[in-house]
């Protein structure tokens, strides 16, 4: 039975890609869900709208955010306004309404480059890859101490943060604000660091879309997916319904007065090239093209160590890569967010 204080949940960003799945999963688990979203006229930066939405609410699940790598520095004010200021307004409203539990949608981008092992120096954190190296096709990171080649490893939640773009910086700021709120109010904050989420209702191709949506949109238009670098960069692709289940599980996790962070991932690393091939195969579309191009700010490999979420939240991803990509190849996409 759901404790009365947790029965009514406010979901911000509830009309979005991930938020809509989270709201549905919460309702399926027996919660009453209050939806708040800019698309339906309610802004998370509007204290009055939050006051109306929070009546009787016991938990806030904060999904609202400006997402994606962005276009250029002109995007900085929007990332700061929506993600940072919006979270601050939300937390202040939670304090006014004596709401003591927050589940925050964070991201693996707070880590920057993933974890790597050097044969000589052990676990290392490579510096950002230079434009000159990328232009020469030198995509793999090297040890910052001896310049040897390094091998990727699963990154754990205690790895130092190293945000490398505006979105990443704003997500880390959200975590810090949530930690401030938890300490000052005695509330409980759980940050779910999503890895590469994909699935039905993903927004169509925009400069802020994830790579899965960009490839799907290309294939839907009869174009070959264009893969940056050499296609061997590794990610952890996690299905949106698994992410929704993680949010339900997070309603019981964490400790009062602290922020607890968890990798939300499949535990099955695959290359970006693998994903492009899988989608092209299931869509019956043209084969991917490896471009050798690059974007400054992208990282080479980032693979999750998902064990903490399993041990402390009881969360384990259930939808495998092949099953998920087969579904996603024909799943409906949403209009750009």
């Amino acid at each position: 039975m759901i404790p009365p204080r947790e029965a009514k949940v406010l979901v911000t960003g509830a009309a979005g890609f991930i938020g809509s799945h989270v709201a549905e999963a919460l309702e399926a688990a027996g919660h009453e869900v209050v939806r708040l979203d800019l698309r339906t006229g309610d802004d998370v930066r509007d204290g009055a709208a939050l006051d109306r939405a929070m009546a009787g609410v016991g938990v806030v699940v904060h999904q609202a955010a400006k997402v994606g790598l962005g276009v250029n520095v002109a995007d900085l004010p929007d990332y700061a306004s929506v993600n940072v200021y919006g979270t601050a307004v939300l937390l202040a409203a939670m304090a006014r309404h004596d709401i003591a539990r927050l589940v925050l949608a964070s991201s693996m981008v707070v880590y920057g480059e993933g974890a790597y092992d050097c044969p000589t120096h052990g676990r290392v954190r490579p510096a950002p890859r230079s434009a000159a190296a990328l232009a020469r096709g030198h995509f793999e990171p090297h040890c910052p101490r001896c310049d040897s080649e390094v091998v990727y490893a699963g990154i754990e939640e205690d790895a130092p943060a190293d945000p490398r773009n505006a979105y990443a910086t704003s997500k880390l700021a959200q975590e810090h604000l949530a930690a401030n709120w938890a300490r000052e109010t005695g509330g409980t904050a759980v940050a779910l660091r999503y890895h590469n989420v994909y699935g039905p209702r993903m927004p169509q191709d925009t400069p802020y879309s994830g790579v899965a949506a960009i490839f799907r949109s290309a294939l839907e238009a009869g174009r070959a997916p264009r893969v940056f670098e050499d296609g061997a960069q590794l990610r952890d692709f996690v299905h949106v319904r698994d992410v929704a289940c993680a949010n339900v599980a997070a309603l019981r996790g964490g400790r009062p007065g602290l922020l607890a962070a968890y990798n939300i991932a499949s535990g099955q690393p695959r290359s970006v090239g693998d994903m492009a091939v899988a989608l092209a195969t299931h869509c019956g579309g043209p084969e991917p093209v490896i471009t050798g191009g690059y974007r400054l700010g992208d990282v080479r490999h980032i693979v999750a160590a998902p064990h903490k979420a399993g041990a402390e939240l009881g969360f384990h991803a259930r939808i495998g890569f092949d099953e998920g990509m087969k579904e996603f190849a024909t799943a409906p996409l949403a209009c750009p967010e």
Side-chain angles (χ1 to χ4, degrees):
M1 183 175 177
I2 299 171
R5 188 62 173 153
E6 296 177 4
K8 191 172 183 180
V9 181
L10 171 63
V11 179
T12 71
F17 165 46
I18 298 175
S20 64
H21 286 275
V22 170
E24 289 173 358
L26 287 164
E27 287 180 331
H31 296 273
E32 178 185 353
V33 175
V34 179
R35 291 168 165 82
L36 186 142
D37 197 287
L38 185 60
R39 301 164 190 80
T40 55
D42 291 314
D43 192 335
V44 74
R45 293 165 291 187
D46 182 347
L50 291 172
D51 285 335
R52 291 191 296 270
M54 287 183 178
V57 163
V59 183
V60 172
V61 178
H62 185 29
Q63 305 290 319
K66 181 179 177 68
V67 300
L69 186 64
V71 177
N72 53 42
V73 293
D75 283 324
L76 288 172
D78 278 347
Y79 280 112
S81 177
V82 177
N83 296 356
V84 183
Y85 177 69
T87 299
V89 174
L90 177 77
L91 294 169
M94 289 178 65
R96 287 196 301 274
H97 290 266
D98 196 28
I99 298 172
R101 175 171 288 274
L102 171 71
V103 178
L104 171 68
S106 187
S107 173
M108 55 86 175
V109 296
V110 302
Y111 298 123
E113 194 67 67
Y116 296 87
D117 290 328
C118 169
T120 303
H121 297 105
R123 184 61 49 90
V124 295
R125 299 298 301 277
R129 298 176 297 167
S130 70
L134 292 167
R136 293 194 300 270
H138 296 169
F139 302 125
E140 293 292 342
H142 288 252
C143 175
R145 297 176 64 183
C146 67
D147 203 37
S148 298
E149 291 189 5
V150 291
V151 178
Y152 77 88
I155 197 160
E156 298 184 352
E157 290 86 351
D158 60 358
D162 185 17
R164 297 186 178 185
N165 56 59
Y167 174 61
T169 300
S170 72
K171 297 309 285 185
L172 184 59
Q174 287 184 319
E175 288 195 15
H176 287 318
L177 288 169
N180 296 156
W181 166 84
R183 284 193 299 270
E184 293 186 22
T185 66
T188 301
V190 177
L192 303 181
R193 291 176 177 168
Y194 302 158
H195 284 251
N196 287 70
V197 186
Y198 72 97
R201 300 179 218 152
M202 201 171 190
Q204 297 169 4
D205 181 11
T206 77
Y208 307 95
S209 296
V211 67
I214 293 170
F215 290 168
R216 251 300 309 276
S217 296
L219 288 162
E220 203 163 52
R223 303 190 307 270
R226 296 179 61 80
V227 183
F228 283 174
E229 302 186 16
D230 57 2
Q233 55 271 44
L234 292 172
R235 299 291 186 270
D236 188 306
F237 299 103
V238 58
H239 197 281
V240 67
R241 288 198 297 274
D242 280 330
V243 170
C245 290
N247 277 269
V248 176
L251 295 190
R252 301 294 178 86
R255 288 186 292 163
L258 298 173
L259 175 89
Y262 298 92
N263 285 327
I264 302 302
S266 70
Q268 300 177 356
R270 297 296 183 102
S271 73
V272 173
D274 286 342
M275 183 183 67
V277 168
L279 287 176
T281 299
H282 291 306
C283 286
E287 294 183 0
V289 174
I290 306 298
T291 68
Y294 61 89
R295 296 188 304 183
L296 281 177
D298 277 355
V299 298
R300 180 58 174 175
H301 305 300
I302 181 157
V303 173
H307 317 296
K308 184 180 175 185
E312 297 187 13
L313 300 181
F315 167 73
H316 302 277
R318 299 182 182 278
I319 300 173
F321 179 84
D322 294 333
E323 174 190 355
M325 289 297 161
K326 183 177 181 180
E327 178 202 26
F328 181 57
T330 56
L333 299 180
C335 293
E337 296 184 354

